[in-house]
Amino acid sequence: MNVRQEIALKSGVIRGWAVALFLIISGALWLGFSADTYFGSDGSFYFAMILDKGGFTEIAPSRAHAELMSQWPLVWALRSGVSDLKLLEVFFGLGIWFPFLLSFVISLYATRENPALIAFYLISLASLNLAGWCLIYGEHMVLLSIAWPIFYLAILRRPLTALEQVLVAALLLVHLKLYETALVSGTLFSLLFLFRAWLSESRWQKGWSCVFAILAAAAVMIALYWILNPRDPENRGHFLGAILGSLAHPYPWMGLSFVVLTALGHLLQSSKLGVAGWVTPLVIGVISLFSPGIMGGISFATRTLTLTALPLLMLVAGMASLSCFRFHRKCALVVGGLILALSILHVRHLQSWLDFRRDFKEILQSERGFVKPADHGGISHWGWTNSVLSYVWSEGEVRAVILNPDEIGYQPFQVKSEMLLEAYLTKKPDFLEAKVPLEEWSVLEDEELTADEVDER
C-alpha cells in the first residue's frame, strides 16, 4: 500500500473521501434507526427508564461517562419539555450517533498530517460498531469511538499543540468511565504517553505526557476494580463466553482480515497476501449476504471486541504510522468498497428484526389485554423485553401487553400491575391488576410460591 509519493492521493482528496465514507456508515446506522434498532436487546428498557426517570440511566458507575455521552440529547429533550414519543426516539438515536460524529471530527483533525490513517478508524466503525446492531446503544460503542482520537493524538511524531493537549485531556477524562475493557485501551495509552514523556525534550511536554499517562492508568484502575467487583457477578462469566460468541460474526472478520493480510502483504512484499486481503472479506461478505440477519446473541457478544479486535487494529495502525503509510487510488477504492459492503450488509441483516417488529406490532394492534407469546409462535426478541416493547411500540395507546416467554425469570418491572411511560400515554392499559404491596412481596418470596400462586394472592 506504500507507493511512490507522486501517485499518492492528496490530503484534501483523502479527507473528502473519508467524509463520504463516514456519511455512508452514518446512513446505514440511521436506516437501522428508522426500524428502531436502538430498541434491540436492552435498548427499549433504557429508553423507557430515561423517560420515566427524566434523567440518565445510571446503570453502572464504571460506565457513567458513556451514559452521559450517549444519553444527553434525550435527557436534554426531556428537560426542555419535549413529550412526543416519536420525536424523543430521534433524540435517543442522536445520542447513539453523537460519539461516532465527535470521534470522527477529532480523528480527522488528529490525522491531518497523515490523513491516510483515518482509514483505520472508518474500518473500525464499520466492522466493529455496526456489528452490534442489537446493542447499538451499548456503552462499549462509546469506547470503540472515543479510543481512536486518543490513539491518533498519542502517536503524533511531534510535540502536541495547546489545542491537542486540551483534546487529549478531555478525551482521557471521558475515557475514565466508559466500559470495563478500558483496562486494555488504558494500558495502551499509558504506555504511549510514557514513551512520549521519555522522548520529549521539553519539560512542559514531558510533564503533560506524564499527566496523560496517569489519567490513562486511572482508567485501568477503575476498570480493574469493577471487573473484580462487578455490578452483577454473572456478567463476568457471560463476558468471557461472549468472546467466543463474537467469533461467529462476519463483520469483524471482514475488517480484520483486510487490515492484517494487507499489512502482512506490504511488510513481506507479497502480492498474494495483498490479493488475499481483499478476496477474504469479499468471500465472507458474499456468503453472509444470504443470511436474513445476525442473531441477537451474536450481535450482543460483539461488546467483547473492545478487548480483542480494537487493540489489534490499533497495533496495525501504529505500524502504518511508523512506515509513513500513504494512500493511492487503488487502496482507497478497496477500503471504500469494504466499508460500503459492510454498510450494505448492516442494512441487509436487519431483515429478521424487521419481520419481528412487524409481527409484534400487528399483535399489539389485534389483541387486547395480556397476551401470551406462546399463542403467537413464541414471539420474542430478547427474552425479557416483550413487555417493555409493548409500551414503546404502542405509540402512546396501550391496548395490549405481550408477556415475556419466561414469566418466572428476570422481569424489568411488575408487568401485570405496573405501568411504563405513564406520563406519555394517551391511552393507558385498563387491564392492570392491583399492585401487590412491597411488604406482601417479601412474604410471598419467603413462602416460595409459584408464579400462578403469586398471581392469585
Side-chain angles (χ1 to χ4, degrees), residues 389-439:
L389 287 170
S390 298
Y391 281 88
V392 300
W393 274 343
S394 290
E395 300 180 359
E397 298 184 359
V398 183
R399 296 183 174 87
V401 172
I402 303 176
L403 300 174
N404 295 322
D406 184 2
E407 293 187 55
I408 302 178
Y410 172 71
Q411 304 293 327
F413 65 107
Q414 294 184 34
V415 179
K416 294 187 177 181
S417 59
E418 291 185 354
M419 187 187 311
L420 296 180
L421 307 177
E422 184 172 359
Y424 302 90
L425 302 180
T426 56
K427 179 177 177 53
K428 300 176 182 179
D430 55 7
F431 47 84
L432 296 183
E433 302 169 359
K435 184 175 180 179
V436 179
L438 183 60
E439 58 272 14

Side-chain angles (χ1 to χ4, degrees), residues 287-339:
I287 293 174
S288 62
L289 186 63
F290 294 97
S291 171
I294 304 295
M295 292 178 61
I298 293 175
S299 175
F300 196 81
T302 59
R303 67 194 190 279
T304 63
L305 296 175
T306 50
L307 182 67
T308 56
L310 180 64
L312 182 56
L313 286 177
M314 287 185 168
L315 174 63
V316 179
M319 294 170 59
S321 175
L322 293 174
S323 67
C324 300
F325 171 61
R326 295 292 182 270
F327 248 15
H328 58 79
R329 185 171 286 102
K330 181 180 178 181
C331 185
L333 288 173
V334 174
V335 173
L338 172 67
I339 290 172

Side-chain angles (χ1 to χ4, degrees), residues 150 190 304:
I150 299 174
S190 294
T304 63

Side-chain angles (χ1 to χ4, degrees), residues 6 28 70 94 102 134 196 224 230 296 303 319 367 424:
E6 61 266 27
S70 60
L94 279 172
L102 178 68
C134 88
R196 289 186 66 90
L224 184 61
R303 67 194 190 279
M319 294 170 59
E367 295 281 7
Y424 302 90

